[in-house]
Amino acid sequence: MFQGFSNETIDFMWGIRFNNEKGWFEAHKAEYLQYFYEPMKSLSREVYAAMCEAYPDLGLISKVSRIYRDARRLHGRGPYKDRLWMSIEQPVEEWTSHPVFWFELAPEGYSFGMGYYSARPLTMAKFRARLDRNPRPFETLVRRFHHQDRFVLESECYKRPKGHPGALLQDWYNSKNFSLICERNHDELLFSPDLARELIEGFTALMPMYLYFSSLDGDPEPGEGGRASTGQASHQDLHKI
């Protein structure tokens, strides 16, 4: 059971940031495993189990990142990351283009939420096409999102707007990528078992958004013939959460 991170966790992250080389890491590997990697794995297992129990039909999987950087992509940086993250997602081939839940712990603070690492242009084109056909289900989700204070929308927008769907949906409609994110400095919650409950509650609150965006894969490509999805299934899922 997850018991919280510790001051030793923070010390290790700052240590690897300023001593990012093999000799230092090997000398402190036991600290990395005990205070950083194992607690992250424990947190991941607890949150994942709760999400699978609540949503057994989604076929979710969990992942914990490696501290080792890809040797092909060092670009002058050290061989180790100074942060770790966990994710809960559905098993898809292009996982970076599918929405995921995540938690990340870094030397300066931590963050968690839901979003895309790299949404495909086709995915966002399907999103805009669905809003053009029937904006009401997503408007319901956005209004609900505006009534909470845990997460904020972070997005990269196109320099030239793709359209003007109205003030409520403007930032979403013109996004290349987005994250619904909660960012915090290191606080008492980080060192407490209650962090797992906070993530479970947060991910559960974001689940209607996750279901909506996950369902975009089943929509036809914009301009294709045939009946297009209207987002009705996602709208109905609002009443199950």
Side-chain angles (χ1 to χ4, degrees), residues 135-145 168-169 209 235 238:
R136 289 187 178 180
F138 195 67
E139 287 174 346
T140 298
L141 295 179
V142 172
R143 289 191 178 95
R144 177 184 288 187
F145 181 75
L168 181 64
L169 301 183
M209 283 284 192
H235 184 54
L238 295 177

Side-chain angles (χ1 to χ4, degrees), residues 35-144:
Y35 300 118
F36 201 5
Y37 184 71
E38 290 301 333
M40 184 68 78
K41 287 280 288 185
S42 179
L43 177 63
S44 176
R45 285 193 296 266
E46 189 165 335
V47 176
Y48 173 67
M51 297 298 288
C52 286
E53 182 178 0
Y55 308 101
D57 296 334
L58 292 183
L60 297 171
I61 61 173
S62 65
K63 297 179 181 179
V64 173
S65 66
R66 292 164 49 87
I67 196 170
Y68 307 97
R69 286 198 176 110
D70 188 334
R72 299 168 297 177
R73 298 179 174 85
L74 293 182
H75 304 300
R77 297 177 296 177
Y80 306 102
K81 306 182 186 87
D82 60 8
R83 62 197 62 212
L84 288 180
W85 58 87
M86 51 156 281
S87 64
I88 296 175
E89 59 202 72
Q90 291 173 291
V92 293
E93 185 174 351
E94 295 183 65
W95 68 271
T96 59
S97 63
H98 198 267
V100 302
F101 299 100
W102 88 91
F103 167 82
E104 181 179 62
L105 179 55
E108 299 87 355
Y110 66 95
S111 65
F112 61 98
M114 188 278 292
Y116 289 93
Y117 281 100
S118 181
R120 293 180 300 168
L122 176 59
T123 299
M124 302 313 288
K126 288 182 177 183
F127 173 52
R128 292 189 296 273
R130 186 185 286 188
L131 292 184
D132 290 339
R133 292 192 302 271
N134 182 12
R136 289 187 178 180
F138 195 67
E139 287 174 346
T140 298
L141 295 179
V142 172
R143 289 191 178 95
R144 177 184 288 187

Side-chain angles (χ1 to χ4, degrees), residues 9-26:
T9 310
I10 311 304
D11 291 343
F12 175 83
M13 287 189 291
W14 284 111
I16 197 67
R17 171 171 290 186
F18 292 112
N19 302 276
N20 203 311
E21 47 87 20
K22 185 176 180 180
W24 190 93
F25 177 74
E26 290 297 331

Side-chain angles (χ1 to χ4, degrees), residues 180-210:
L180 308 179
I181 184 170
C182 175
E183 294 183 295
R184 295 174 179 168
N185 295 324
H186 299 149
D187 55 16
E188 292 184 3
L189 185 63
L190 184 67
F191 307 106
S192 167
D194 291 338
L195 177 62
R197 183 175 62 186
E198 175 74 1
L199 297 188
I200 294 166
E201 290 178 355
F203 293 165
T204 299
L206 293 175
M207 182 57 78
M209 283 284 192
Y210 178 86

